Amino acid sequence: MPDQVHSIESDASALVENGPSDRAHFSPRGKPVILGINGIGLWSLYIKEVRRFLKVQTQTVWAPAVTTLLFLVIFTVAMGRSDRMILGVNFATFVAPGLIVMGMMQNSFANSSFSLLAGKIQGTIIDLLMPPLSYGELMAGIVAAAVTRAVMVGLAVGLAMAFYPGVSLAMAHPWAVIWFGLMGAVMLALLGLVTSIWAEKFDHAAAVTNFVIAPLSLLSGTFYVISNLAPHFQTISRANPFFYVISGFRFGFLGESDIGNTNTAVFHSAIGLGIFNVALALIVYAILRSGWKLKS
């Protein structure tokens, strides 16, 4: 036993004297161990966020489908006379795509606006900031999970509307449905992430939802074409990015849109929306990297 103790003491003394040379299997201090993209960490964060909303999928996926279907029922009964045609289709078919993508955007915002905010309030924000994830990977994981929820909500809403009398969901341009749907979900996911960084309590996030997201969604041509508005209000509507998401998404189903008189106008809007999201992502990344309201 004394020999073992002496051996341990000798090894410890040699380690102290020789320094890092005897610890060559450890990386030097300050040298990153994970190079490139941390795929395992990014996937783990994504799965964590997806499982979080799937645990209460009745509230996060199926409830929005029911709420959106009620919008369709109310507006078609109140405004959708059987002889009323808009963009060459009946009112129910006209309003359905807008309601689908509106539900996708609102739930994308709800998902991403909860992630960091809940961590700050519960004191578990360190669980997201300490793992070996870059700021870009942290942002990508949260946004990807929000987009996943948006797609699930869109499929659930579309499934519910497919059985509603008078609604046709035949797609004239599938690329527009996919592109504008995803771009709308990404845009709201990024806005939700900024909100979760800025907000200090759930009331702040709810205020953004009620006073910013909901008005922009409802006043973006979901239930009408902007050509019915006065020129001044048409200009205001065209300054609303939600308008391009909803109108472009509707174009994918109907082949008609109030963005412009040609398909080229829709294509240009698709490119512009993509550029807008890239710029928004860079802004969110800069805010996230600064540690504003996260590391204080």
Side-chain angles (χ1 to χ4, degrees), residues 17-290:
E17 293 175 359
N18 296 331
S21 61
D22 287 348
R23 296 180 291 177
H25 55 286
F26 292 105
S27 298
R29 293 181 180 178
K31 182 179 180 180
V33 178
I34 300 175
L35 302 177
I37 298 176
N38 183 0
I40 296 177
L42 178 58
W43 178 252
S44 299
L45 174 61
Y46 169 76
I47 292 298
K48 168 189 172 295
E49 290 294 306
V50 170
R51 287 179 175 175
R52 176 175 61 79
F53 74 77
L54 284 181
K55 284 184 179 179
V56 286
Q57 60 178 287
T58 303
Q59 175 185 350
T60 57
V61 177
W62 299 108
V66 174
T67 302
T68 307
L69 188 61
L70 288 176
F71 269 113
L72 179 65
V73 172
I74 292 171
F75 277 91
T76 52
V77 170
M79 303 173 60
R81 301 186 303 272
S82 58
D83 59 341
R84 183 174 185 180
M85 305 294 287
I86 303 178
L87 295 181
V89 297
N90 61 57
F91 182 78
T93 300
F94 165 80
V95 78
L99 288 174
I100 292 174
V101 74
M102 185 180 72
M104 291 175 62
M105 291 191 296
Q106 290 179 344
N107 282 274
S108 179
F109 177 87
N111 200 79
S112 62
S113 64
F114 180 85
S115 300
L116 296 180
L117 177 58
K120 289 194 293 185
I121 293 176
Q122 297 172 359
T124 59
I125 188 67
I126 195 68
D127 294 338
L128 290 174
L129 300 180
M130 281 300 292
L133 291 170
S134 67
Y135 298 107
E137 291 164 351
L138 179 62
M139 182 176 72
I142 294 175
V143 170
V147 172
T148 300
R149 175 175 169 181
V151 172
M152 290 184 176
V153 170
L155 293 175
V157 174
L159 179 63
M161 290 186 176
F163 295 98
Y164 189 81
V167 173
S168 173
L169 294 179
M171 290 186 288
H173 302 284
W175 72 266
V177 174
I178 297 172
W179 178 259
F180 285 98
L182 291 179
M183 288 298 100
V186 169
M187 179 175 66
L188 269 294
L190 292 170
L191 292 176
L193 185 55
V194 172
T195 300
S196 68
I197 295 173
W198 164 77
E200 297 179 357
K201 52 186 178 179
F202 290 118
D203 289 349
H204 293 164
V208 175
T209 301
N210 294 329
F211 297 108
V212 178
I213 304 302
L216 289 177
S217 299
L218 295 173
L219 299 177
S220 57
T222 304
F223 304 102
Y224 55 86
V225 290
I226 64 170
S227 59
N228 294 333
L229 302 176
H232 178 69
F233 289 102
Q234 290 187 33
T235 303
I236 295 176
S237 295
R238 291 187 181 278
N240 179 6
F242 287 47
F243 161 74
Y244 297 97
V245 175
I246 291 176
S247 296
F249 191 80
R250 179 182 290 129
F251 170 81
F253 285 94
L254 307 183
E256 298 287 340
S257 166
D258 51 351
I259 293 178
N261 296 325
T262 63
N263 294 347
T264 304
V266 178
F267 184 72
H268 289 166
S269 298
I271 296 176
L273 192 60
I275 296 174
F276 177 81
N277 276 345
V278 170
L280 183 60
L282 293 176
I283 294 173
V284 176
Y285 176 80
I287 294 174
L288 191 60
R289 187 175 183 178
S290 70

